[in-house]
Amino acid sequence: MLRLRINFSGVVSRIILLIALTFLCFTVSCGFIDLRPIGVKIEPGSNNSVLPEIFSPVIIRFDTAMIKNETEGNLHISSDSGIVRGDTYWNGNNFYFVPIPGWTAGTRYTLSLLGTLRSVDGRETRVEHFVSFFAINKNDPPLLEFHNPSDGVSVSTNNFVMEFHFSKSMDRHSVESALTLEGIRETTFEWLVDDKILKVSAGNVLSPWLFYRWSLRDSAKCNDGIPLPKTYSGNFITDLDQTLPEVIDVYPVLYADGSWFPTGACFETKLGQGQGAAVVFNKPMGENALRSLRFDPSLTGRTELLSENSIVYIFTRDPEPGTTYTLIVSGDTRDHEGLKIGADFRINFTPDIPLINITSINFGGGFVIENFSATNNFLQVQVNSATGEFYFTINFSLLFNNDGKQNTPQKIKLAPFFPRTLAPVALQDVNWLSSNRLYMRWEGLIATDDIPHYYTLTIPGGRGGINPDTGIFMKEDIVIYLEAIK
């Protein structure tokens, strides 16, 4: 029988050689296989931790050198507001993250280290690490509990004040900077109740029938540094008053004892001497009502308040007698809420101020002229040929006061007209026979049979003419051409 002889020592030697060659292949050609895990430690390391400062870093500590750019891409920090932007740097094997804007107090942040980490020595570790943390404190955020006016409510345009009520004492500067009130200027801030209530007063009168919007951004913070959890906003409308203003009455008023009193007369025909024009509205008016009146033809004067819904126009001088005027209240006149009348209000009136007239002139010799305005302006009058005296009596339609009596004779003129060589005449005597009858005697007139001599008698009218009382005058000059006869 044939036996197979096995050399065990040779087999063992060959196995050892094969193992050695394999090991040499891995160590020389392929390198070492290091199966040790990469050590990672995160700060903050546990949920609900609190970083102490606004710029406290998040630190990822490694026990070996890492491939930095790949490692940095695996770190993400976020909050309800989105991804947190930050500066990163390395200190040895430690990776630091510092937020650019700083941490916000009371805000919950989530750190995620997710993906494959690779070290410089070739090792890899797959990580899924999540940590929630806070900074500075983890107190509850402040809330806007109440605001007035509430959304969509109707408000007045005047003395507008808005209130905000917070759940915590607030940081004044951050709230005032975060608040926007559209269309409201020169605001005044007043803080109450340990800075939990803010009153905002408008420095301007709001426009009527207009939507106003406001917003309070989430950058507003409480005294703990915690911001509002969201941006608050709202609106209101200035249509609380929906009654348009209008003129409801115009009447004459008379000033007495420091006040203006209605005369009870009709404005269109009975506005008297020294009286003012009162304009009454249906509601309280704004300050611009004092500038709302004008007249056609123009009249000068000033406007004053009679009451919250009425004004009076005080004339610098009385309107012209016999002239028809139009009082106009501008359609831009606004009430206390800023609402406009809308269209010009007009009313015509003719002042009831008398003109003085000459009812008659009684010339020397018994010659009387009546209905003077219709009389021929050329008259023959008798003159004393020896003395050259000539006299007449003027009868006026109104009574003269003392000032009128004194000034009127000085304004009446008798002057030579033709021929030019006539000598001047002189006033010798003046006498008021009554308060409306003036006697005047002149001398120096010449009457001849061959050449006619003419003189002009001028009684001036207008405001600069004869004036029996303040504001009363004759409409126009009266000029009479007199032929002196023997």
Side-chain angles (χ1 to χ4, degrees), residues 285-458:
M285 299 302 292
E287 183 269 342
N288 82 320
L290 294 175
R291 301 183 297 274
S292 66
L293 296 187
R294 68 182 191 275
F295 295 86
D296 184 23
S298 178
L299 290 170
T300 60
R302 71 182 190 276
T303 310
E304 295 181 358
L305 283 175
L306 277 180
S307 66
E308 64 178 7
N309 67 329
S310 63
I311 59 177
V312 58
Y313 191 86
I314 305 168
F315 299 98
T316 301
R317 66 182 187 183
D318 290 329
E320 295 283 348
T323 301
T324 298
Y325 295 88
T326 302
L327 182 153
I328 305 168
V329 181
S330 171
D332 289 330
T333 307
R334 299 173 181 268
D335 65 12
H336 190 62
E337 287 291 315
L339 298 176
K340 295 181 180 180
I341 291 178
D344 288 353
F345 171 86
R346 296 171 178 266
I347 183 171
N348 297 327
F349 67 98
T350 302
D352 186 23
I353 299 174
L355 286 169
I356 186 171
N357 296 310
I358 297 176
T359 59
S360 65
I361 300 180
N362 187 348
F363 292 98
F367 184 70
V368 179
I369 300 176
E370 297 178 346
N371 299 321
F372 189 81
S373 59
T375 303
N376 193 320
N377 287 339
F378 290 89
L379 302 173
Q380 289 183 332
V381 293
Q382 294 181 349
V383 175
N384 188 315
S385 58
T387 62
E389 290 185 347
F390 167 69
Y391 64 89
F392 55 83
T393 302
I394 304 175
N395 296 318
F396 296 99
S397 62
L398 297 175
L399 302 180
F400 281 69
N401 61 19
N402 290 333
D403 289 339
K405 289 179 180 179
Q406 181 177 355
N407 296 327
T408 295
Q410 302 175 32
K411 296 179 180 180
I412 297 175
K413 305 296 181 183
L414 182 63
F417 179 70
F418 180 85
R420 295 182 181 277
T421 56
L422 287 176
V425 298
L427 179 62
Q428 291 298 309
D429 188 22
V430 173
N431 185 23
W432 284 92
L433 303 179
S434 65
S435 293
N436 67 331
R437 296 178 63 210
L438 173 62
Y439 168 84
M440 303 184 76
R441 180 170 60 85
W442 304 77
E443 69 176 7
L445 283 77
I446 300 174
T448 63
D449 295 331
D450 50 353
I451 300 174
H453 290 177
Y454 293 94
Y455 297 85
T456 56
L457 174 62
T458 303

Side-chain angles (χ1 to χ4, degrees), residues 102 154 157 202 263 345 433 473:
S154 296
T157 60
T263 65
F345 171 86
L433 303 179
F473 53 90

Side-chain angles (χ1 to χ4, degrees), residues 180-349:
T180 300
L181 298 171
E182 295 181 5
I184 299 178
R185 305 183 304 274
E186 301 174 5
T187 51
T188 301
F189 299 98
E190 180 184 6
W191 288 91
L192 305 170
V193 193
D194 196 23
D195 293 347
K196 290 183 178 180
I197 296 177
L198 171 62
K199 286 187 174 183
V200 185
S201 301
N204 62 303
V205 177
L206 306 188
S207 298
W209 292 4
L210 188 67
F211 269 105
Y212 283 83
R213 295 175 175 82
W214 62 269
S215 66
L216 182 62
R217 298 189 303 276
D218 56 5
S219 57
K221 300 177 180 180
C222 67
N223 286 338
D224 292 336
I226 305 173
L228 295 174
K230 65 176 183 178
T231 293
Y232 294 88
S233 62
N235 62 78
F236 52 88
I237 184 171
T238 52
D239 64 346
L240 185 64
D241 186 352
Q242 299 188 14
T243 302
L244 292 176
E246 61 179 323
V247 177
I248 59 175
D249 199 4
V250 180
Y251 53 80
V253 288
L254 183 64
Y255 190 76
D257 298 328
S259 300
W260 290 94
F261 296 95
T263 65
C266 172
F267 178 75
E268 288 92 333
T269 58
K270 295 299 182 180
L271 177 68
Q273 181 184 1
Q275 297 178 0
V279 180
V280 183
F281 301 90
N282 64 330
K283 59 190 305 191
M285 299 302 292
E287 183 269 342
N288 82 320
L290 294 175
R291 301 183 297 274
S292 66
L293 296 187
R294 68 182 191 275
F295 295 86
D296 184 23
S298 178
L299 290 170
T300 60
R302 71 182 190 276
T303 310
E304 295 181 358
L305 283 175
L306 277 180
S307 66
E308 64 178 7
N309 67 329
S310 63
I311 59 177
V312 58
Y313 191 86
I314 305 168
F315 299 98
T316 301
R317 66 182 187 183
D318 290 329
E320 295 283 348
T323 301
T324 298
Y325 295 88
T326 302
L327 182 153
I328 305 168
V329 181
S330 171
D332 289 330
T333 307
R334 299 173 181 268
D335 65 12
H336 190 62
E337 287 291 315
L339 298 176
K340 295 181 180 180
I341 291 178
D344 288 353
F345 171 86
R346 296 171 178 266
I347 183 171
N348 297 327
F349 67 98

